[in-house]
Amino acid sequence: MKIVVTGGAGFIGSNFVRYIYRERPDWRIDVFDKLTYAGDRRNLEGLDENRVTLIEADIGDEQAVDTAVANCDAIVHFAAESHNDNSLQSPWPFVETNVVGTYHILEAARKHNKRLHHISTDEVYGDLSLDDPVKFTPNTPYNPSSPYSSTKASSDLLVRAWVRSFGVQATISNCSNNYGPYQHVEKFIPRQITEIIEGRKPKLYGSGKNVRDWIHTEDHSSGVLTILEHGRISETYLIGADGEKNNKEVVELILELMGKNPDDYEHVSDRPGHDLRYAIDASKLHNELGWSPNYTDFKEGLSQTIDWYKEHEDWWRPQKAETEAKYREIGR
Ligand code: NAD
Ligand code: TDX
């Protein structure tokens, strides 16, 4: 088995590559990645080059996509512009990569008749109220809020159309917020951990009441592998680990785990259009494919993640100053 993993040098993609490397020792992996600011070849360090090859290319490059897809058995498509705050400053790269790039992946999968798994997000469903008793399910109507989530929603719709109109052998998964090692310091949890290491206060958008449904990235990987191997073609599966927490609780827990006063954070201005709550009902994946998460203790997973950032300062240090300079510009 040879798979192409687009975006395999980013946070979730590289964790998936390491997971497959360990769990499927006879598989070969071509990582197809543009190495944007969010991709890092160091995320693949230590992996045997006879099994993992990095193809440095853009999913907008039709020829490069065609060649990679022609030479594999299946594609797992993670590549995307992934940060909401960036999409509010500069939406075009999101349209280009998330929509047009996915179009190229679909056309290549169609031409070469290859199995495709498309990675998406719970944000395509918009947000829930804090007391909504019903979580997101595969039947929840699409209602995205931000340029990022609307381009992800668009990419999902393209996949559905290529399945129905052209018979492309595809599945889709929509996952909740991931945490774990190798996540860029622009994202919520690594930003706060590294702010504390640098001697500054964590930054909470608005009141901090917004709820995210946290899942360890390794559980996302096991969910994707389960769907790739056993999922029904044309189906959408939601991946989540019942990890709802509001942002204030998460900041307080990070501070506590790092030996600080849990109140020692600051409020900064809110994100425009900030989604209030995401929550995943993953029962289809549990009941139909027998998947369940391993990281059921958020505090333990968070503590391991904090340790990883403490031990890998050389990894995140090059991203940090530039990221904070960007946040200063927008007052967050
Ligand atoms: P990331 O920003 O850390 O990584 C994205 C990767 O894609 C990088 O390696 C980057 O170089 C690459 N890339 C970007 N544009 C490209 C292009 N045009 N051509 C080729 N490669 C390109 O993102 P992430 O957080 O690892 O997210 C990966 C996927 O998972 C995305 O599709 C995202 O929408 C989805 N997702 C993320 C989360 C989350 O919590 N982070 C949750 C659910 C779904
Ligand atoms: O400094 C911060 N302070 C803060 O309060 C940052 C960076 C974020 N936040 C808040 C905003 C959100 O409510 O924390 C929450 C999480 O923020 P992000 O890490 O930016 O994630 P989110 O916008 O929820 O989107 C993430 O999950 C779904 C990923 O970035 C997406 O790629 C994924 O699709």
Side-chain angles (χ1 to χ4, degrees):
M1 180 83 166
K2 183 175 178 189
I3 59 172
V4 167
V5 179
T6 72
F11 162 48
I12 305 175
S14 67
N15 276 287
F16 179 74
V17 168
R18 287 177 182 279
Y19 182 79
I20 295 294
Y21 188 84
R22 196 180 72 216
E23 298 295 321
R24 294 291 177 271
D26 54 339
W27 288 19
R28 284 191 298 137
I29 307 162
D30 280 351
V31 171
F32 188 104
D33 199 298
K34 187 181 173 182
L35 300 181
T36 66
Y37 79 96
D40 192 334
R41 61 175 72 245
R42 292 179 306 162
N43 296 359
L44 304 169
E45 261 170 18
L47 303 179
D48 181 350
E49 286 175 13
N50 293 315
R51 288 191 53 210
V52 181
T53 306
L54 174 62
I55 301 167
E56 190 179 337
D58 189 331
I59 56 169
D61 178 342
E62 188 181 342
Q63 192 51 53
V65 169
D66 188 83
T67 305
V69 169
N71 289 316
C72 75
D73 300 303
I75 310 121
V76 185
H77 177 36
F78 290 91
E81 286 291 337
S82 69
H83 192 38
N84 273 301
D85 289 323
N86 293 343
S87 82
L88 294 163
Q89 298 309 306
S90 174
W92 172 242
F94 289 74
V95 176
E96 206 170 26
T97 286
N98 302 0
V99 184
V100 182
T102 299
Y103 161 81
H104 289 305
I105 299 287
L106 282 164
E107 281 294 80
R110 166 158 91 114
K111 179 173 164 193
H112 299 290
N113 196 22
K114 296 294 163 77
R115 169 86 172 87
L116 169 67
H117 181 70
H118 175 64
I119 303 294
S120 193
T121 170
D122 58 1
E123 296 192 20
V124 299
Y125 301 116
D127 58 357
L128 300 165
S129 61
L130 292 179
D131 57 0
D132 197 324
V134 182
K135 299 181 178 188
F136 297 140
T137 75
N139 299 321
T140 304
Y142 275 38
N143 187 26
S145 315
S146 73
Y148 163 68
S149 54
S150 63
T151 58
K152 291 299 290 186
S154 306
S155 68
D156 294 9
L157 298 182
L158 292 179
V159 175
R160 289 181 182 195
W162 262 243
V163 168
R164 175 148 173 182
S165 302
F166 304 125
V168 168
Q169 303 287 297
T171 42
I172 300 175
S173 55
N174 298 79
C175 188
S176 57
N177 283 63
N178 283 220
Y179 72 98
Y182 298 100
Q183 187 167 31
H184 195 280
V185 296
E186 69 189 357
K187 302 291 183 353
F188 178 52
I189 287 179
R191 183 179 188 205
Q192 314 314 335
I193 296 170
T194 54
E195 283 295 88
I196 295 168
I197 294 174
E198 296 228 301
R200 292 189 296 266
K201 293 183 184 204
K203 316 266 183 305
L204 204 51
Y205 291 179
S207 66
K209 65 178 184 300
N210 306 67
V211 171
R212 296 295 181 263
D213 190 353
W214 293 100
I215 181 171
H216 194 279
T217 190
E218 184 142 325
D219 286 329
H220 188 179
S221 293
S222 68
V224 170
L225 179 59
T226 302
I227 299 164
L228 184 66
E229 293 186 320
H230 306 293
R232 282 184 293 137
I233 296 303
S234 86
E235 292 292 315
T236 291
Y237 296 89
L238 268 51
I239 309 178
D242 295 322
E244 280 188 75
K245 298 257 176 302
N246 73 37
N247 294 338
K248 185 167 166 293
E249 288 175 275
V250 174
V251 158
E252 287 170 352
L253 189 54
I254 293 171
L255 281 159
E256 181 199 315
L257 288 168
M258 295 182 75
K260 307 285 179 196
N261 179 346
D263 297 328
D264 205 12
Y265 57 83
E266 62 190 9
H267 291 277
V268 294
S269 64
D270 207 353
R271 172 186 284 171
H274 196 174
D275 279 340
L276 183 55
R277 175 180 167 227
Y278 307 137
I280 289 273
D281 174 352
S283 51
K284 179 172 172 182
L285 188 54
H286 291 294
N287 299 339
E288 197 181 299
L289 304 183
W291 173 86
S292 56
N294 279 326
Y295 285 80
T296 47
D297 182 343
F298 180 67
K299 190 171 178 180
E300 175 59 29
L302 187 60
S303 170
Q304 286 175 20
T305 304
I306 291 169
D307 288 344
W308 190 88
Y309 281 89
K310 282 184 181 162
E311 287 156 17
H312 292 82
E313 219 169 299
D314 57 327
W315 181 86
W316 57 263
R317 179 76 49 203
Q319 314 166 350
K320 184 65 182 169
E322 196 185 332
T323 302
E324 288 308 318
K326 266 166 88 182
Y327 276 124
R328 269 195 303 278
E329 265 174 39
I330 57 172
R332 286 202 283 280

PDB file of all heavy atoms in Angstrom, residues 7 9-13 33-36 38-39 57-59 78-80 82 97 119-121 148 152 175-178, ligand 1:
ATOM      1  N   GLY A   7      -0.379  17.785   2.916  1.00  0.00           N
ATOM      2  CA  GLY A   7      -0.279  18.500   4.192  1.00  0.00           C
ATOM      3  C   GLY A   7       0.387  17.672   5.274  1.00  0.00           C
ATOM      4  O   GLY A   7       0.236  17.955   6.466  1.00  0.00           O
ATOM      5  N   ALA A   9       3.336  17.559   6.294  1.00  0.00           N
ATOM      6  CA  ALA A   9       4.403  18.193   7.083  1.00  0.00           C
ATOM      7  C   ALA A   9       3.829  19.207   8.073  1.00  0.00           C
ATOM      8  O   ALA A   9       4.575  19.921   8.743  1.00  0.00           O
ATOM      9  CB  ALA A   9       5.418  18.871   6.164  1.00  0.00           C
ATOM     10  N   GLY A  10       2.496  19.284   8.158  1.00  0.00           N
ATOM     11  CA  GLY A  10       1.854  20.190   9.120  1.00  0.00           C
ATOM     12  C   GLY A  10       1.565  19.465  10.427  1.00  0.00           C
ATOM     13  O   GLY A  10       2.050  18.349  10.663  1.00  0.00           O
ATOM     14  N   PHE A  11       0.763  20.094  11.255  1.00  0.00           N
ATOM     15  CA  PHE A  11       0.492  19.552  12.597  1.00  0.00           C
ATOM     16  C   PHE A  11      -0.195  18.178  12.549  1.00  0.00           C
ATOM     17  O   PHE A  11       0.393  17.143  12.903  1.00  0.00           O
ATOM     18  CB  PHE A  11      -0.351  20.581  13.368  1.00  0.00           C
ATOM     19  CG  PHE A  11      -1.075  20.068  14.574  1.00  0.00           C
ATOM     20  CD1 PHE A  11      -0.425  19.295  15.535  1.00  0.00           C
ATOM     21  CD2 PHE A  11      -2.431  20.385  14.778  1.00  0.00           C
ATOM     22  CE1 PHE A  11      -1.109  18.827  16.656  1.00  0.00           C
ATOM     23  CE2 PHE A  11      -3.116  19.932  15.895  1.00  0.00           C
ATOM     24  CZ  PHE A  11      -2.459  19.144  16.831  1.00  0.00           C
ATOM     25  N   ILE A  12      -1.435  18.143  12.075  1.00  0.00           N
ATOM     26  CA  ILE A  12      -2.195  16.886  12.143  1.00  0.00           C
ATOM     27  C   ILE A  12      -1.658  15.896  11.119  1.00  0.00           C
ATOM     28  O   ILE A  12      -1.538  14.694  11.395  1.00  0.00           O
ATOM     29  CB  ILE A  12      -3.702  17.144  11.927  1.00  0.00           C
ATOM     30  CG1 ILE A  12      -4.207  18.197  12.921  1.00  0.00           C
ATOM     31  CG2 ILE A  12      -4.498  15.855  12.073  1.00  0.00           C
ATOM     32  CD1 ILE A  12      -5.657  18.605  12.717  1.00  0.00           C
ATOM     33  N   GLY A  13      -1.284  16.411   9.930  1.00  0.00           N
ATOM     34  CA  GLY A  13      -0.764  15.531   8.879  1.00  0.00           C
ATOM     35  C   GLY A  13       0.503  14.806   9.321  1.00  0.00           C
ATOM     36  O   GLY A  13       0.642  13.598   9.086  1.00  0.00           O
ATOM     37  N   ASP A  33       3.519  18.284   0.185  1.00  0.00           N
ATOM     38  CA  ASP A  33       3.351  19.474   1.035  1.00  0.00           C
ATOM     39  C   ASP A  33       4.121  20.655   0.447  1.00  0.00           C
ATOM     40  O   ASP A  33       5.252  20.521   0.015  1.00  0.00           O
ATOM     41  CB  ASP A  33       3.856  19.171   2.455  1.00  0.00           C
ATOM     42  CG  ASP A  33       3.303  20.140   3.483  1.00  0.00           C
ATOM     43  OD1 ASP A  33       3.586  21.356   3.364  1.00  0.00           O
ATOM     44  OD2 ASP A  33       2.604  19.698   4.415  1.00  0.00           O
ATOM     45  N   LYS A  34       3.474  21.796   0.458  1.00  0.00           N
ATOM     46  CA  LYS A  34       4.075  23.027  -0.074  1.00  0.00           C
ATOM     47  C   LYS A  34       5.089  23.640   0.894  1.00  0.00           C
ATOM     48  O   LYS A  34       5.835  24.536   0.533  1.00  0.00           O
ATOM     49  CB  LYS A  34       2.934  24.031  -0.335  1.00  0.00           C
ATOM     50  CG  LYS A  34       3.318  25.301  -1.028  1.00  0.00           C
ATOM     51  CD  LYS A  34       2.077  26.207  -1.182  1.00  0.00           C
ATOM     52  CE  LYS A  34       2.433  27.570  -1.730  1.00  0.00           C
ATOM     53  NZ  LYS A  34       1.240  28.437  -1.821  1.00  0.00           N
ATOM     54  N   LEU A  35       5.083  23.171   2.130  1.00  0.00           N
ATOM     55  CA  LEU A  35       5.910  23.764   3.189  1.00  0.00           C
ATOM     56  C   LEU A  35       5.660  25.270   3.292  1.00  0.00           C
ATOM     57  O   LEU A  35       6.561  26.087   3.103  1.00  0.00           O
ATOM     58  CB  LEU A  35       7.404  23.454   2.997  1.00  0.00           C
ATOM     59  CG  LEU A  35       7.791  21.975   2.993  1.00  0.00           C
ATOM     60  CD1 LEU A  35       9.299  21.802   2.831  1.00  0.00           C
ATOM     61  CD2 LEU A  35       7.342  21.274   4.281  1.00  0.00           C
ATOM     62  N   THR A  36       4.408  25.612   3.561  1.00  0.00           N
ATOM     63  CA  THR A  36       4.068  27.006   3.869  1.00  0.00           C
ATOM     64  C   THR A  36       4.638  27.322   5.247  1.00  0.00           C
ATOM     65  O   THR A  36       5.298  26.479   5.868  1.00  0.00           O
ATOM     66  CB  THR A  36       2.537  27.194   3.932  1.00  0.00           C
ATOM     67  OG1 THR A  36       2.035  26.447   5.050  1.00  0.00           O
ATOM     68  CG2 THR A  36       1.854  26.728   2.649  1.00  0.00           C
ATOM     69  N   ALA A  38       3.274  26.977   7.819  1.00  0.00           N
ATOM     70  CA  ALA A  38       2.736  25.988   8.771  1.00  0.00           C
ATOM     71  C   ALA A  38       3.336  24.600   8.585  1.00  0.00           C
ATOM     72  O   ALA A  38       3.104  23.720   9.402  1.00  0.00           O
ATOM     73  CB  ALA A  38       1.214  25.903   8.628  1.00  0.00           C
ATOM     74  N   GLY A  39       4.091  24.404   7.516  1.00  0.00           N
ATOM     75  CA  GLY A  39       4.686  23.094   7.258  1.00  0.00           C
ATOM     76  C   GLY A  39       6.164  23.132   7.608  1.00  0.00           C
ATOM     77  O   GLY A  39       6.821  24.155   7.443  1.00  0.00           O
ATOM     78  N   ALA A  57       5.575  20.377  -2.974  1.00  0.00           N
ATOM     79  CA  ALA A  57       4.783  20.910  -4.088  1.00  0.00           C
ATOM     80  C   ALA A  57       3.454  21.436  -3.578  1.00  0.00           C
ATOM     81  O   ALA A  57       3.017  21.112  -2.465  1.00  0.00           O
ATOM     82  CB  ALA A  57       4.550  19.818  -5.135  1.00  0.00           C
ATOM     83  N   ASP A  58       2.808  22.216  -4.450  1.00  0.00           N
ATOM     84  CA  ASP A  58       1.556  22.906  -4.134  1.00  0.00           C
ATOM     85  C   ASP A  58       0.385  22.077  -4.679  1.00  0.00           C
ATOM     86  O   ASP A  58       0.448  21.632  -5.837  1.00  0.00           O
ATOM     87  CB  ASP A  58       1.627  24.276  -4.836  1.00  0.00           C
ATOM     88  CG  ASP A  58       0.513  25.219  -4.450  1.00  0.00           C
ATOM     89  OD1 ASP A  58      -0.593  24.745  -4.107  1.00  0.00           O
ATOM     90  OD2 ASP A  58       0.742  26.440  -4.530  1.00  0.00           O
ATOM     91  N   ILE A  59      -0.684  21.900  -3.907  1.00  0.00           N
ATOM     92  CA  ILE A  59      -1.843  21.180  -4.453  1.00  0.00           C
ATOM     93  C   ILE A  59      -2.526  22.002  -5.558  1.00  0.00           C
ATOM     94  O   ILE A  59      -3.389  21.485  -6.258  1.00  0.00           O
ATOM     95  CB  ILE A  59      -2.881  20.754  -3.377  1.00  0.00           C
ATOM     96  CG1 ILE A  59      -3.372  21.941  -2.549  1.00  0.00           C
ATOM     97  CG2 ILE A  59      -2.317  19.654  -2.491  1.00  0.00           C
ATOM     98  CD1 ILE A  59      -4.576  21.620  -1.676  1.00  0.00           C
ATOM     99  N   PHE A  78      -5.046  16.275   3.820  1.00  0.00           N
ATOM    100  CA  PHE A  78      -5.040  17.197   4.960  1.00  0.00           C
ATOM    101  C   PHE A  78      -4.706  18.631   4.544  1.00  0.00           C
ATOM    102  O   PHE A  78      -4.997  19.558   5.300  1.00  0.00           O
ATOM    103  CB  PHE A  78      -3.957  16.803   5.978  1.00  0.00           C
ATOM    104  CG  PHE A  78      -4.193  15.548   6.760  1.00  0.00           C
ATOM    105  CD1 PHE A  78      -3.735  14.322   6.301  1.00  0.00           C
ATOM    106  CD2 PHE A  78      -4.847  15.586   7.990  1.00  0.00           C
ATOM    107  CE1 PHE A  78      -3.930  13.168   7.037  1.00  0.00           C
ATOM    108  CE2 PHE A  78      -5.046  14.431   8.735  1.00  0.00           C
ATOM    109  CZ  PHE A  78      -4.580  13.213   8.256  1.00  0.00           C
ATOM    110  N   ALA A  79      -4.018  18.823   3.410  1.00  0.00           N
ATOM    111  CA  ALA A  79      -3.443  20.148   3.097  1.00  0.00           C
ATOM    112  C   ALA A  79      -4.520  21.226   3.096  1.00  0.00           C
ATOM    113  O   ALA A  79      -5.553  21.083   2.449  1.00  0.00           O
ATOM    114  CB  ALA A  79      -2.738  20.120   1.748  1.00  0.00           C
ATOM    115  N   ALA A  80      -4.259  22.293   3.828  1.00  0.00           N
ATOM    116  CA  ALA A  80      -5.207  23.411   3.892  1.00  0.00           C
ATOM    117  C   ALA A  80      -4.527  24.592   4.558  1.00  0.00           C
ATOM    118  O   ALA A  80      -3.539  24.437   5.282  1.00  0.00           O
ATOM    119  CB  ALA A  80      -6.446  23.018   4.709  1.00  0.00           C
ATOM    120  N   SER A  82      -5.264  26.726   7.585  1.00  0.00           N
ATOM    121  CA  SER A  82      -6.056  26.181   8.691  1.00  0.00           C
ATOM    122  C   SER A  82      -6.393  27.154   9.821  1.00  0.00           C
ATOM    123  O   SER A  82      -7.089  26.771  10.760  1.00  0.00           O
ATOM    124  CB  SER A  82      -5.310  24.984   9.298  1.00  0.00           C
ATOM    125  OG  SER A  82      -4.143  25.444   9.963  1.00  0.00           O
ATOM    126  N   THR A  97      -6.138  27.445  -1.776  1.00  0.00           N
ATOM    127  CA  THR A  97      -5.694  26.107  -1.345  1.00  0.00           C
ATOM    128  C   THR A  97      -6.884  25.210  -0.999  1.00  0.00           C
ATOM    129  O   THR A  97      -6.977  24.070  -1.473  1.00  0.00           O
ATOM    130  CB  THR A  97      -4.726  26.226  -0.144  1.00  0.00           C
ATOM    131  OG1 THR A  97      -3.472  26.713  -0.635  1.00  0.00           O
ATOM    132  CG2 THR A  97      -4.511  24.882   0.542  1.00  0.00           C
ATOM    133  N   ILE A 119     -10.095  15.319   4.621  1.00  0.00           N
ATOM    134  CA  ILE A 119     -10.100  15.741   6.023  1.00  0.00           C
ATOM    135  C   ILE A 119     -10.798  17.084   6.152  1.00  0.00           C
ATOM    136  O   ILE A 119     -10.396  18.062   5.519  1.00  0.00           O
ATOM    137  CB  ILE A 119      -8.646  15.924   6.542  1.00  0.00           C
ATOM    138  CG1 ILE A 119      -7.824  14.639   6.376  1.00  0.00           C
ATOM    139  CG2 ILE A 119      -8.638  16.422   7.978  1.00  0.00           C
ATOM    140  CD1 ILE A 119      -8.266  13.479   7.218  1.00  0.00           C
ATOM    141  N   SER A 120     -11.821  17.128   7.002  1.00  0.00           N
ATOM    142  CA  SER A 120     -12.481  18.410   7.218  1.00  0.00           C
ATOM    143  C   SER A 120     -12.716  18.659   8.715  1.00  0.00           C
ATOM    144  O   SER A 120     -12.168  17.959   9.568  1.00  0.00           O
ATOM    145  CB  SER A 120     -13.772  18.501   6.407  1.00  0.00           C
ATOM    146  OG  SER A 120     -14.231  19.828   6.400  1.00  0.00           O
ATOM    147  N   THR A 121     -13.516  19.663   8.964  1.00  0.00           N
ATOM    148  CA  THR A 121     -13.636  20.190  10.324  1.00  0.00           C
ATOM    149  C   THR A 121     -15.097  20.329  10.760  1.00  0.00           C
ATOM    150  O   THR A 121     -15.986  20.481   9.909  1.00  0.00           O
ATOM    151  CB  THR A 121     -12.959  21.582  10.382  1.00  0.00           C
ATOM    152  OG1 THR A 121     -13.270  22.217  11.617  1.00  0.00           O
ATOM    153  CG2 THR A 121     -13.449  22.501   9.255  1.00  0.00           C
ATOM    154  N   TYR A 148     -12.264  30.829   6.631  1.00  0.00           N
ATOM    155  CA  TYR A 148     -11.686  29.479   6.747  1.00  0.00           C
ATOM    156  C   TYR A 148     -12.771  28.405   6.669  1.00  0.00           C
ATOM    157  O   TYR A 148     -12.723  27.507   5.822  1.00  0.00           O
ATOM    158  CB  TYR A 148     -10.910  29.342   8.073  1.00  0.00           C
ATOM    159  CG  TYR A 148     -10.645  27.886   8.446  1.00  0.00           C
ATOM    160  CD1 TYR A 148      -9.770  27.102   7.698  1.00  0.00           C
ATOM    161  CD2 TYR A 148     -11.302  27.290   9.529  1.00  0.00           C
ATOM    162  CE1 TYR A 148      -9.552  25.762   8.023  1.00  0.00           C
ATOM    163  CE2 TYR A 148     -11.090  25.959   9.853  1.00  0.00           C
ATOM    164  CZ  TYR A 148     -10.220  25.208   9.096  1.00  0.00           C
ATOM    165  OH  TYR A 148     -10.007  23.883   9.401  1.00  0.00           O
ATOM    166  N   LYS A 152     -13.586  25.408   3.829  1.00  0.00           N
ATOM    167  CA  LYS A 152     -13.610  23.968   4.150  1.00  0.00           C
ATOM    168  C   LYS A 152     -14.968  23.372   3.766  1.00  0.00           C
ATOM    169  O   LYS A 152     -15.057  22.272   3.220  1.00  0.00           O
ATOM    170  CB  LYS A 152     -13.315  23.721   5.639  1.00  0.00           C
ATOM    171  CG  LYS A 152     -11.906  24.014   6.090  1.00  0.00           C
ATOM    172  CD  LYS A 152     -10.843  23.178   5.390  1.00  0.00           C
ATOM    173  CE  LYS A 152     -10.884  21.721   5.786  1.00  0.00           C
ATOM    174  NZ  LYS A 152      -9.742  20.954   5.195  1.00  0.00           N
ATOM    175  N   CYS A 175     -13.666  16.672  11.951  1.00  0.00           N
ATOM    176  CA  CYS A 175     -13.152  16.467  13.317  1.00  0.00           C
ATOM    177  C   CYS A 175     -13.231  17.769  14.113  1.00  0.00           C
ATOM    178  O   CYS A 175     -13.283  18.857  13.558  1.00  0.00           O
ATOM    179  CB  CYS A 175     -11.706  15.981  13.232  1.00  0.00           C
ATOM    180  SG  CYS A 175     -11.009  15.466  14.814  1.00  0.00           S
ATOM    181  N   SER A 176     -13.205  17.614  15.426  1.00  0.00           N
ATOM    182  CA  SER A 176     -13.224  18.775  16.322  1.00  0.00           C
ATOM    183  C   SER A 176     -11.793  19.274  16.561  1.00  0.00           C
ATOM    184  O   SER A 176     -10.847  18.801  15.936  1.00  0.00           O
ATOM    185  CB  SER A 176     -13.905  18.383  17.632  1.00  0.00           C
ATOM    186  OG  SER A 176     -13.220  17.288  18.204  1.00  0.00           O
ATOM    187  N   ASN A 177     -11.629  20.224  17.487  1.00  0.00           N
ATOM    188  CA  ASN A 177     -10.318  20.858  17.728  1.00  0.00           C
ATOM    189  C   ASN A 177      -9.276  19.859  18.214  1.00  0.00           C
ATOM    190  O   ASN A 177      -9.470  19.210  19.241  1.00  0.00           O
ATOM    191  CB  ASN A 177     -10.451  21.947  18.802  1.00  0.00           C
ATOM    192  CG  ASN A 177     -11.066  23.208  18.267  1.00  0.00           C
ATOM    193  OD1 ASN A 177     -12.208  23.209  17.825  1.00  0.00           O
ATOM    194  ND2 ASN A 177     -10.319  24.304  18.307  1.00  0.00           N
ATOM    195  N   ASN A 178      -8.159  19.808  17.512  1.00  0.00           N
ATOM    196  CA  ASN A 178      -7.062  18.911  17.876  1.00  0.00           C
ATOM    197  C   ASN A 178      -6.054  19.612  18.789  1.00  0.00           C
ATOM    198  O   ASN A 178      -5.824  20.816  18.643  1.00  0.00           O
ATOM    199  CB  ASN A 178      -6.282  18.489  16.631  1.00  0.00           C
ATOM    200  CG  ASN A 178      -6.985  17.433  15.796  1.00  0.00           C
ATOM    201  OD1 ASN A 178      -6.344  16.516  15.298  1.00  0.00           O
ATOM    202  ND2 ASN A 178      -8.293  17.539  15.620  1.00  0.00           N
TER     203      ASN A 178
HETATM  204  P1  NAD B   1      -1.539  23.074   9.577  1.00  0.00           P
HETATM  205  O1  NAD B   1      -1.755  24.500   9.173  1.00  0.00           O
HETATM  206  O2  NAD B   1      -0.730  22.777  10.780  1.00  0.00           O
HETATM  207  O3  NAD B   1      -0.889  22.263   8.364  1.00  0.00           O
HETATM  208  C1  NAD B   1      -1.294  22.429   7.034  1.00  0.00           C
HETATM  209  C2  NAD B   1      -0.251  21.776   6.126  1.00  0.00           C
HETATM  210  O4  NAD B   1      -0.682  21.913   4.761  1.00  0.00           O
HETATM  211  C3  NAD B   1       1.136  22.442   6.214  1.00  0.00           C
HETATM  212  O5  NAD B   1       2.132  21.449   6.233  1.00  0.00           O
HETATM  213  C4  NAD B   1       1.220  23.263   4.941  1.00  0.00           C
HETATM  214  O6  NAD B   1       2.546  23.430   4.469  1.00  0.00           O
HETATM  215  C5  NAD B   1       0.382  22.415   3.987  1.00  0.00           C
HETATM  216  N1  NAD B   1      -0.183  23.208   2.883  1.00  0.00           N
HETATM  217  C6  NAD B   1      -0.849  24.388   2.986  1.00  0.00           C
HETATM  218  N2  NAD B   1      -1.180  24.830   1.753  1.00  0.00           N
HETATM  219  C7  NAD B   1      -0.727  23.895   0.869  1.00  0.00           C
HETATM  220  C8  NAD B   1      -0.772  23.781  -0.533  1.00  0.00           C
HETATM  221  N3  NAD B   1      -1.337  24.733  -1.293  1.00  0.00           N
HETATM  222  N4  NAD B   1      -0.229  22.694  -1.114  1.00  0.00           N
HETATM  223  C9  NAD B   1       0.358  21.737  -0.373  1.00  0.00           C
HETATM  224  N5  NAD B   1       0.453  21.801   0.971  1.00  0.00           N
HETATM  225  C10 NAD B   1      -0.092  22.869   1.579  1.00  0.00           C
HETATM  226  O7  NAD B   1      -3.014  22.466   9.693  1.00  0.00           O
HETATM  227  P2  NAD B   1      -3.577  21.339  10.667  1.00  0.00           P
HETATM  228  O8  NAD B   1      -4.069  21.975  11.902  1.00  0.00           O
HETATM  229  O9  NAD B   1      -2.606  20.221  10.744  1.00  0.00           O
HETATM  230  O10 NAD B   1      -4.871  20.887   9.824  1.00  0.00           O
HETATM  231  C11 NAD B   1      -4.765  19.850   8.844  1.00  0.00           C
HETATM  232  C12 NAD B   1      -6.136  19.573   8.281  1.00  0.00           C
HETATM  233  O11 NAD B   1      -7.038  19.184   9.314  1.00  0.00           O
HETATM  234  C13 NAD B   1      -6.796  20.765   7.590  1.00  0.00           C
HETATM  235  O12 NAD B   1      -7.491  20.305   6.452  1.00  0.00           O
HETATM  236  C14 NAD B   1      -7.771  21.302   8.635  1.00  0.00           C
HETATM  237  O13 NAD B   1      -8.850  21.963   8.021  1.00  0.00           O
HETATM  238  C15 NAD B   1      -8.202  20.012   9.297  1.00  0.00           C
HETATM  239  N6  NAD B   1      -8.661  20.127  10.690  1.00  0.00           N
HETATM  240  C16 NAD B   1      -7.904  20.752  11.621  1.00  0.00           C
HETATM  241  C17 NAD B   1      -8.326  20.789  12.948  1.00  0.00           C
HETATM  242  C18 NAD B   1      -7.491  21.444  14.037  1.00  0.00           C
HETATM  243  O14 NAD B   1      -7.896  21.469  15.192  1.00  0.00           O
HETATM  244  N7  NAD B   1      -6.292  21.966  13.758  1.00  0.00           N
HETATM  245  C19 NAD B   1      -9.538  20.199  13.319  1.00  0.00           C
HETATM  246  C20 NAD B   1     -10.316  19.566  12.327  1.00  0.00           C
HETATM  247  C21 NAD B   1      -9.856  19.528  11.012  1.00  0.00           C
END
